[in-house]
Every structure is written in C-alpha cells, then in structure tokens.
Amino acid sequence: MSQNIDKIQDHVELFHQPEYQELFENKKAMQGMASDEKVAEIAEWTKTWDYREKNFAREALTINPAKACQPLGAILAAVGFEGTLPFVHGSQGCVAYFRTHFTRHFKEPFSGVSSSMTEDAAVFGGLKNMIEGLENAYNLYKPKMIAVCTTCMAEVIGDDLGSFIGNAKAAGSVPQEFPVPFAHTPSFVGSHITGYDNMMKAVLGNLTEGKKAATTNGKVNFIPGFETYIGNLRELKHLVGAMGVNATILGDNELYLDSPNDGEFKMYQGGTTLEEGADAINAVKTISLQTYPTEKTREYIEKEWKQPTATFRPWGIQATDAFLTELSEITGNPVPPELILERGRAVDAMTDSHAWLHGKTAAIYGDPDLVMGMLQFMLEMGVEPVHVLVHNSTKEFIAEAEAFLAASPYGQKATVWGGKDLWHMRSLLFTEPVDFLVGNSYGKYLWRDTGIPLIRIGYPIFDRHHMHRYSTIGYNGAINLLNWLVNSLFEEIDRNTNIPSETDISFDLVR
C-alpha cells in the first residue's frame, strides 16, 4: 500500500483506492458485521419515536458528549495571565490531549506540561513527579507563574496539591515566593467550565493575597469566562475603551491564542500582568461576561474581597444595551456616538434579514452561557428555538433558560434538555425536525444523518478556519451572528433549488 512519493494523496482520496476498500471489506468480514441490509434497517429504526424513548431512558452511558473535562478549562484560564505555564498533575497523554484540542481550534501552539505520572505514581502517589516536574518546568521554560491542575489519576489516588507544592518549594524546585496557584480539577465531575472557574479562583486568590489596600484603584475588572472567540476579547476592549472605563481584563488570552507570525516564537504572549491580577482586589467592581464558568470566582470575590460582582452577556441588541448602560452608570459617561452608530448598523442589518429568519425553527447545543447568548439573539430575530440542549447543565441554568424562553412569544415551542448528549439530539432532530442546527463541529455528524443544516457557532470548531477570530458579542458581534445564520439558510436554499427545470424556480440572484 505504499504511495508514489511524487503523488502524495490526501486521506480523502487515499482510502478510496482499491486496496484500502478491500481492506475494509476484509475487516467487516473478520468482525462478523451484519449485512448492509440489516444495518440500513436498524439505522431507519433509530429515527423513530420508539427508539427516541429508549434512547432517552438510558442512564449509564454517554454517546458523543457535548462537553469536555475540567483541566481543559483550567489551562485556558491559566494562559490568560502573563508568563504563565499550565502544569497538569497527571499523565503525559492527558496534557497532550488538552494542548491538541486547543491547537486544533485556534490553530496556534498551546504550551503546557505535565508531571508525567505513570503506574508507579498511581500506586505510591505523585509527590516525586511534582517535585521534579516543577523544577524542570521552572528551569527550562522560565515562566513567571506556574498554574497547577489535576487529572483523574491524581484525584482518584487523592494527591494533595497544596502539600505537594509546599514540599516542592521546600526541596528548592521553585523559589518560595514564586507563584504556584493550584486547582483540583477531577475530570469525572463537572466540565471544562467548572475547571475554568476553579483555576480562575485559584489564580486570583494566589495573586491577591495580602494586597488589599485602604482605597479602591478606580478600576473595573472583567472576566471573559471560558471564551474561545478571540474577537470577543477585542470587542470587549473596544466597548470598555469607547465607554472610558478604566478596566482590567482578568484572564486576557487574546494575544496568546492569536499571535502574529513575525518570525520569532514566544512561548508567553500577552496576558493580564501579575501586577494587574494582584491589584484586582482593589477594583470598584468585577463584571463577568459568563455566568456559569465564574460562579465560585464571583462568590470568592464578593466574600473575600468585599467587592460587588455582576454578570452581563452582551449578545444581541437588548443585552448589549444593558451592558453599556451598566458601564455608563459606573463611569458617569454617556454612550459615545461611535457605539450608537454601531448599534444603528446592527439594527439595520437585522431589519434587512428579518424576513428570512422570522418563524424559522432551530435546535441549539453548547455551553450554558453560549446557548443563552444565542437564544437572546435568535429571539430578537423571531427565530423559534425547539430543542435547547446543554450537556454541562445545572438546575440554575435550566430555570434561567426556561424562564427566558417562556417570556417570549418565539420561545413557546422550546424544550430545555439538561444533561443530554448529541446522540439524544439526534433523536430529537429525527422525530421533531427543525430548519437549522446551531452548535460546534461535532454537529456535522448530525447534519450528515438528518440533513438539517449546521451553523457552526461554539467550541470546538475544528473543520473550519478562522471563525474564532470573529466576535459574537456587542453590536459588531450581532452582525456576525446574523451573517452566519442568514447566509447559511441562503446556501441551503441554493442547494435545494439547483436542478435545472426541476427545482430551480427560486434559484435566483436577488435576496
């Protein structure tokens, strides 16, 4: 099966070659696969209400989860701070997965190390790995801070990070004063947004210890949350800058995850400085742009810092208005003409496309705050959500989403499905089809099976490039969301009206 080196083929073409097709047939025979007819019969049955009831009755099995594990979120929070190296206390395979996951989405190198725990550490504990790992990481990569989180292995055997890091410092692995915040992030509970919250709380607790001043610094802190649209960080800076807010963004990973190609590799790009992080305790207020990845962090800020917090999701017109109103009240500054102009452009664009989206039915899945943000925008456009699925859900999210949908005439068809996976979504789409589906790249399998067009909004997006560079928040973000939704529907219309003399009656150029 060797290839001609003068004609290297992509895997899309390679596996269609006769020798590979023969290999696949032999594999099916060896595995005792059912006949093609039987497979087709069962596949048709999985589209029925009968199968849906059986599918939703399962309890001990997850199929295609719409979430990731805690350490993934923890290391995203970590790289938002200047010179910070994520350190995963666990096996090499775990940290390799996390780094690869982010690299595939952002198309950027993502740094992170592990304590390289193996079988002996699983039996005797990972203290030795921690001592050696911190020493190597500190000396080799010259970070300003090392942020430690755990994986399943370390959590199952009960490794105590606080004690281990203390012992490592006593052994001289890193200087005593060197910041090593840590968070326990077991992968078998919570999700990536829980891990983000745990690490953000740990970093802020470490940096601000003993830094409380008698007066405020006059600043407002902003926490982006588990944010994978780099354009949103730029949009946030644009909005707060235009409003004249003296701001600190806590966990600013914009430059780290979208760095310029200037011919020189820098392991640590940008980030909230450690000094800014330490001074965050003296801010006037902390505002989070996502509720559920910052619950523990906001509780900590309110209790320990004695600082008020708030959450705003500036997706769509009304929510962006509310966000800017809050900033205006904090600063005493009116909303400037440039933002009023942006608002007018967004409203004009939405008016242009309203007729094409109004009354369309949709399914959506993703993280709770992203789903809430999209619901805000879709209801403003008259889109009618039918299936709202959030795997990493909570009782609080379900209550919030249901109340929000119930308050709109366009939300009356919706059912909120908490704790369900994408195989559940498949049953929903076959039994109750909708006009389009909103979700991450994993939804392409649902699109293939059901024929319902997928509009890629969320994380991860592996099979399209550069979408993470756009914004989804603010008035500019509203135009991006509108663009993705309405033009995806136009593409679907074209696909369904492109047979000459049969379906091309509406294959027109003016829409």
Side-chain angles (χ1 to χ4, degrees):
M1 295 185 185
S2 61
Q3 292 193 59
N4 184 335
I5 61 172
D6 295 324
K7 190 179 180 182
I8 301 296
Q9 292 185 323
D10 182 86
H11 63 88
V12 175
E13 299 175 347
L14 177 65
F15 293 108
H16 287 285
Q17 293 182 359
E19 56 265 43
Y20 282 98
Q21 292 299 307
E22 181 182 355
L23 183 150
F24 295 148
E25 289 300 318
N26 292 339
K27 183 179 179 182
K28 287 167 62 175
M30 180 185 69
Q31 293 176 337
M33 280 285 292
S35 66
D36 292 343
E37 292 75 19
K38 188 64 176 178
V39 170
E41 176 190 339
I42 299 300
E44 284 301 309
W45 174 63
T46 64
K47 303 175 184 178
T48 64
W49 278 90
D50 177 53
Y51 180 81
R52 169 172 162 168
E53 292 175 1
K54 291 178 171 57
N55 187 15
F56 274 74
R58 61 183 161 92
E59 297 178 355
L61 175 67
T62 295
I63 305 174
N64 205 358
K67 63 176 184 177
C69 56
Q70 282 204 51
L72 188 81
I75 66 174
L76 185 69
V79 299
F81 290 87
E82 169 197 25
T84 299
L85 180 66
F87 184 107
V88 181
H89 186 45
S91 69
Q92 288 180 321
C94 290
V95 73
Y97 161 72
F98 305 140
R99 288 161 46 189
T100 301
H101 215 260
F102 284 132
T103 297
R104 291 168 66 196
H105 177 83
F106 294 108
K107 306 298 185 286
E108 295 282 351
F110 193 103
S111 299
V113 298
S114 82
S115 56
S116 301
M117 293 175 66
T118 53
E119 291 84 352
D120 58 339
V123 175
F124 301 109
L127 176 59
K128 180 174 180 291
N129 299 69
M130 178 68 72
I131 292 173
E132 294 180 356
L134 286 177
E135 180 179 12
N136 289 337
Y138 178 76
N139 291 321
L140 286 173
Y141 302 116
K142 305 295 189 291
K144 292 185 177 182
M145 180 166 70
I146 297 176
V148 180
C149 63
T150 54
T151 63
C152 296
M153 182 190 299
E155 290 294 330
V156 168
I157 63 178
D159 280 358
D160 182 345
L161 289 185
S163 174
F164 280 19
I165 292 169
N167 288 332
K169 286 189 171 185
S173 296
V174 296
Q176 284 289 342
E177 68 279 6
F178 186 81
V180 187
F182 64 88
H184 285 275
T185 53
S187 299
F188 42 79
V189 295
S191 71
H192 54 285
I193 65 172
T194 319
Y196 180 96
D197 196 8
N198 287 334
M199 182 56 79
M200 181 59 68
K201 174 176 176 286
V203 169
L204 295 180
N206 183 285
L207 293 178
T208 60
E209 186 176 359
K211 299 298 173 64
K212 184 71 172 178
T215 58
T216 72
N217 57 22
K219 291 186 173 184
V220 179
N221 300 323
F222 294 88
I223 305 178
F226 186 88
E227 181 57 75
T228 57
Y229 282 91
I230 300 306
N232 282 346
L233 294 167
R234 296 184 182 126
E235 187 67 18
L236 173 61
K237 294 172 185 178
H238 165 60
L239 294 175
V240 300
M243 289 298 301
V245 181
N246 190 1
T248 298
I249 297 177
L250 299 173
D252 180 7
N253 50 30
E254 177 208 341
L255 190 58
Y256 185 93
L257 296 171
D258 192 14
S259 57
N261 189 342
D262 57 9
E264 180 183 357
F265 172 74
K266 302 180 184 71
M267 180 172 284
Y268 311 108
Q269 298 253 30
T272 307
T273 68
L274 303 191
E275 291 76 17
E276 288 174 324
D279 197 34
I281 192 173
N282 299 310
V284 175
K285 189 171 189 176
T286 294
I287 295 176
S288 171
L289 271 64
Q290 295 181 7
T291 297
Y292 298 99
T294 60
E295 289 180 308
K296 294 179 182 177
T297 302
R298 286 182 287 112
E299 181 182 4
Y300 167 78
I301 290 171
E302 292 176 358
K303 181 179 179 181
E304 300 298 330
W305 296 3
K306 310 301 181 186
Q307 188 180 117
T309 71
T311 299
F312 288 87
R313 301 186 191 97
W315 291 57
I317 302 300
Q318 185 175 358
T320 302
D321 290 350
F323 180 61
L324 296 182
T325 299
E326 170 75 4
L327 299 187
S328 180
E329 292 176 355
I330 291 173
T331 62
N333 299 329
V335 178
E338 66 174 301
L339 296 186
I340 295 174
L341 182 63
E342 289 177 10
R343 185 186 193 277
R345 286 175 179 148
V347 172
D348 181 62
M350 293 165 71
T351 304
D352 293 340
S353 303
H354 181 263
W356 292 96
L357 288 173
H358 184 274
K360 295 295 184 184
T361 57
I364 182 172
Y365 67 91
D367 289 339
D369 284 276
L370 179 136
V371 166
M372 283 300 302
M374 277 303 303
L375 290 177
Q376 290 168 189
F377 177 76
M378 288 196 294
L379 293 183
E380 287 184 336
M381 293 301 299
V383 174
E384 300 181 15
V386 177
H387 311 302
V388 179
L389 187 147
V390 174
H391 197 164
N392 48 348
S393 180
T394 62
K395 292 184 295 184
E396 291 77 13
F397 166 76
I398 293 174
E400 180 188 10
E402 289 181 341
F404 181 73
L405 291 162
S408 169
Y410 306 114
Q412 304 305 304
K413 297 178 181 179
T415 300
V416 180
W417 301 97
K420 301 302 181 184
D421 56 42
L422 294 188
W423 196 251
H424 290 113
M425 177 63 88
R426 182 179 182 275
S427 283
L428 294 172
L429 295 178
F430 270 124
T431 52
E432 297 178 87
V434 293
D435 292 313
F436 63 88
L437 169 67
V438 174
N440 62 28
S441 285
Y442 291 109
K444 71 185 301 176
Y445 300 105
L446 298 173
W447 161 74
R448 181 182 64 185
D449 282 0
T450 67
I452 294 172
L454 168 67
I455 302 174
R456 289 166 174 80
I457 301 174
Y459 173 84
I461 297 178
F462 291 152
D463 60 336
R464 298 292 186 272
H465 284 206
H466 310 301
M467 296 185 70
H468 67 279
R469 302 180 193 275
Y470 291 85
S471 61
T472 61
I473 66 171
Y475 304 126
N476 292 320
I479 294 176
N480 289 331
L481 295 173
L482 177 65
N483 175 28
W484 295 333
L485 263 60
V486 73
N487 285 325
S488 294
L489 293 185
F490 286 153
E491 289 172 4
E492 188 67 10
I493 291 171
D494 285 347
R495 275 193 291 269
N496 293 327
T497 60
N498 66 353
I499 303 175
S501 302
E502 292 186 24
T503 65
D504 66 339
I505 297 171
S506 293
F507 193 71
D508 60 88
L509 292 173
V510 182
R511 293 199 175 111

